[in-house]
Amino acid sequence: MQKILNYINGALTEPVSKQYIDNIDPSTGEVYSICADSDERDIELAYQAAEAAFEGWSNMNINGRSKIMLKIANLIEKNIDKLSLAESIDQGKPLWLAKNGEIPRAQANIHFFATAIEHFASEAHSMGTHALNYTLRTPIGVVGCISPWNLPLYLFTWKIAPALAAGNCVVAKPSEITPMTAFLFSELCMEAGLPKGVLNIVHGLGPKVGSALVAHEKITAISFTGGTKTGAEIARIAAPMFKKLSLELGGKNPNIVFADCDFEKAVTESVRASFTNQGEICLCGSRLLIERSIYDKFKDAFVKEVKKLKVGDPLLNETKVGAIASKMHFDKVLSYVELAKQEGGTILTGGKAFSPEGRCAGGYFIEPTVIEGLSYNCRTNQEEIFGPVVTLQPFDNEEEALMMANSTTYGLATTLWTENLSKAHRVAANVKSGLVWVNCWLLRDLRTPFGGMKQSGVGREGGWEALRFFTESKNVCIKL
Ligand code: NAD
């Protein structure tokens, strides 16, 4: 059985404990590889390697760093079939989605920051003939990057790329639920000639090796993407050590449909926004708020489209909804469907597990589920489910839509549908979320600030925001 090894000091290494955890293919429910069960000893080795590599990497000229990163980006492109298949098997997402969305985006992340760093500049503030201030932005040192299971290689590269481009050395911890593509990525780093120790990937359980990474006193910045509870735990450990923190956390995103929308487009894109990647994208719209005058018409059209989504074997082209990433998450999502029923919700379609015939009979599949009849403030409508479950709620006017949209503790992304430009601007300005899409969903420009308000996170990723996070700024004031 394939072993997923750590990547420390430029080599694939066994965990110090020599222990491994099972890695399961969620589309079959079967163990198909084993993953290093690392602990604080592996983190220490990774830190030592990163620390030793820092001087060379941070002093390498920008063009040199950029060239190596571009080689890695090219290798992702060259290996797209292998990586897409690995991601689909490891995570449960449809293979076509990995190949058309996630893996190209992982390549783009590396490419983007490899080139962005060549244009990154710092500020100067002139005080006329009295003095000149200029800002130095230097790499922090050894930084930690922790990523989740829903978009494994995409979110892993989204963190490590700006960290490396800015001249830091990295200790990264991918999710233990989906470690495979980060492991394959370590092989690409070796092939590209990334100097040893610049990037170290330590696999294993979050509360064990993830928390050891956060607790390491010499790793002074942590970039984390994952659940809000985990983010709070990381902040609790990191805050007394005054670590720099970037936290990208959960969401409960509203998708607001006004009566004056482009109806067909709103229906089609709302289906995509609700169920892409089994609804396991932090940006998926999980609460569909629909203006009452079109509620019934929209509901019928939406449910009709959802019923067409084929659930099953992620390797088949016709599959639109693959497997839920783990048994634990599968149980959690189904428990929320039960909760919705207890809270008085009506299931319009889906609402149960699904067992396809053939090789995927033991997999973790849930039918795309649409629920109506719940109050905006019940638990189902307030807590993150993070699966193929969406609720529908009518609203009477813009104020009510905003009140419902802003009613949760989260504030990650909002999607809104209207052909009225003024209304679009007003709602976008008043909705409390870090990202707003008007008449589209998940249209991304990597230069833009990315992240959430309230309990969806602290800080922003993307573009200059990420490069600023991964550098220390120092102002130098010269009296003239
Ligand atoms: P998670 O918090 O369980 O795990 C995320 C990562 O943190 C994993 O690598 C895990 O091993 C590690 N971890 C767990 N406990 C830890 C600890 N005590 N200390 C250090 N590390 C620890 O999240 P998940 O279930 O993998 O991912 C789903 C969550 O991620 C959802 O809430 C989703 O909304 C969120 N998410 C947010 C964004 C965003 O950009 N805001 C993007 C994707 C996913």
Side-chain angles (χ1 to χ4, degrees):
M1 191 161 295
Q2 179 164 12
K3 273 186 180 173
I4 292 172
L5 299 169
N6 291 334
Y7 170 55
I8 296 178
N9 207 21
L12 297 176
T13 53
E14 287 220 82
V16 176
S17 67
K18 303 267 191 293
Q19 298 297 305
Y20 289 84
I21 42 183
D22 289 343
N23 188 29
I24 293 170
D25 171 350
S27 73
T28 62
E30 281 161 21
V31 177
Y32 82 103
S33 55
I34 53 174
C35 171
D37 182 7
S38 313
D39 58 32
E40 70 282 358
R41 292 169 293 176
D42 303 281
I43 292 290
E44 185 55 33
L45 290 174
Y47 168 75
Q48 294 294 344
E51 168 66 13
F54 180 66
E55 199 183 328
W57 183 248
S58 58
N59 286 317
M60 186 185 281
N61 67 40
I62 286 173
N63 186 255
R65 288 205 295 266
S66 174
K67 263 192 179 154
I68 295 173
M69 290 182 66
L70 288 173
K71 268 194 199 163
I72 299 174
N74 286 340
L75 284 170
I76 295 179
E77 208 168 354
K78 215 169 126 192
N79 287 279
I80 187 166
D81 289 332
K82 183 178 174 185
L83 290 165
S84 304
L85 182 61
E87 200 72 296
S88 172
I89 292 171
D90 214 27
Q91 203 271 343
K93 69 181 76 243
L95 176 58
W96 60 263
L97 182 62
K99 195 166 172 183
N100 298 319
E102 176 158 357
I103 305 303
R105 172 59 195 275
Q107 185 275 342
N109 288 340
I110 305 276
H111 187 277
F112 176 83
F113 284 108
T115 50
I117 194 64
E118 297 196 301
H119 305 269
F120 187 49
S122 59
E123 309 82 34
H125 298 92
S126 165
M127 297 170 77
T129 52
H130 300 297
L132 171 69
N133 294 274
Y134 63 87
T135 307
L136 283 175
R137 287 190 191 279
T138 49
I140 297 171
V142 180
V143 300
C145 295
I146 303 177
S147 47
W149 50 256
N150 64 319
L151 301 168
L153 193 64
Y154 171 144
L155 289 172
F156 177 83
T157 49
W158 183 232
K159 295 192 170 305
I160 62 152
L164 295 174
N168 300 284
C169 291
V170 176
V171 179
K173 203 218 72 76
S175 172
E176 61 273 35
I177 295 167
T178 52
M180 186 58 89
T181 47
F183 169 67
L184 298 176
F185 184 82
S186 49
E187 296 180 333
L188 302 185
C189 290
M190 291 190 280
E191 194 179 336
L194 184 70
K196 64 179 189 178
V198 168
L199 171 67
N200 304 274
I201 305 175
V202 184
H203 293 278
L205 302 168
K208 187 162 148 187
V209 73
S211 62
L213 170 55
V214 175
H216 196 290
E217 58 178 10
K218 301 269 179 54
I219 298 176
T220 52
I222 301 287
S223 174
F224 168 79
T225 297
T228 294
K229 265 194 191 152
T230 315
E233 171 64 9
I234 287 174
R236 193 184 65 75
I237 296 173
M241 292 188 259
F242 304 103
K243 289 185 192 232
K244 210 171 178 188
L245 275 186
S246 166
L247 301 173
E248 299 297 334
L249 310 175
K252 188 74 181 173
N253 306 314
N255 181 358
I256 311 172
V257 183
F258 288 98
D260 57 10
C261 67
D262 176 332
F263 188 84
E264 303 300 328
K265 206 199 271 174
V267 171
T268 314
E269 285 297 287
S270 296
V271 172
R272 204 169 71 82
S274 305
F275 298 109
T276 299
N277 206 47
Q278 302 73 244
E280 296 165 332
I281 301 181
C282 55
L283 307 165
C284 279
S286 52
R287 296 179 295 146
L288 248 169
L289 312 179
I290 305 154
E291 194 156 2
R292 197 179 297 277
S293 59
I294 60 159
Y295 182 84
D296 287 331
K297 183 179 165 205
F298 188 93
K299 172 176 87 175
D300 292 347
F302 182 77
V303 170
K304 192 173 156 203
E305 288 306 308
V306 174
K307 283 185 170 161
K308 289 185 196 160
L309 297 175
K310 193 157 169 13
V311 188
D313 189 343
L315 303 184
L316 300 178
N317 270 341
E318 66 264 28
T319 296
K320 291 288 183 288
V321 178
I324 302 297
S326 70
K327 175 71 166 70
M328 201 167 88
H329 193 55
F330 168 85
D331 290 340
K332 178 189 155 184
V333 174
L334 287 176
S335 77
Y336 270 102
V337 175
E338 284 313 305
L339 176 70
K341 287 185 205 160
Q342 284 162 25
E343 290 185 318
T346 304
I347 311 285
L348 299 174
T349 183
K352 47 187 193 310
F354 173 74
S355 176
E357 280 178 12
R359 75 165 198 104
C360 293
Y364 316 136
F365 297 89
I366 297 177
E367 293 175 351
T369 300
V370 183
I371 307 171
E372 72 167 353
L374 292 163
S375 67
Y376 77 90
N377 57 0
C378 68
R379 279 185 57 205
T380 309
N381 272 328
Q382 293 289 313
E383 297 175 14
E384 185 182 45
I385 301 174
F386 208 54
V389 178
V390 65
T391 64
L392 310 186
Q393 294 159 263
F395 66 82
D396 286 308
N397 52 44
E398 202 178 303
E399 291 68 38
E400 194 185 16
L402 271 169
M403 181 280 290
M404 287 178 174
N406 289 337
S407 67
T408 74
T409 54
Y410 295 106
L412 187 53
T414 300
T415 301
L416 60 104
W417 299 92
T418 175
E419 294 292 296
N420 180 324
L421 190 60
S422 305
K423 192 192 288 177
H425 281 299
R426 257 195 327 269
V427 176
N430 289 316
V431 78
K432 291 192 168 41
S433 64
L435 306 157
V436 181
W437 278 293
V438 180
N439 298 331
C440 60
W441 176 71
L442 201 43
L443 184 54
R444 292 280 291 119
D445 180 328
L446 304 188
R447 296 169 300 178
T448 59
F450 178 91
M453 295 181 180
K454 301 196 274 182
Q455 293 193 16
S456 288
V458 179
R460 295 290 181 272
E461 297 185 319
W464 301 147
E465 302 269 349
L467 291 173
R468 289 197 186 110
F469 174 77
F470 283 115
T471 49
E472 282 288 8
S473 66
K474 181 193 285 177
N475 189 66
V476 180
C477 176
I478 303 174
K479 177 93 175 70
L480 301 177

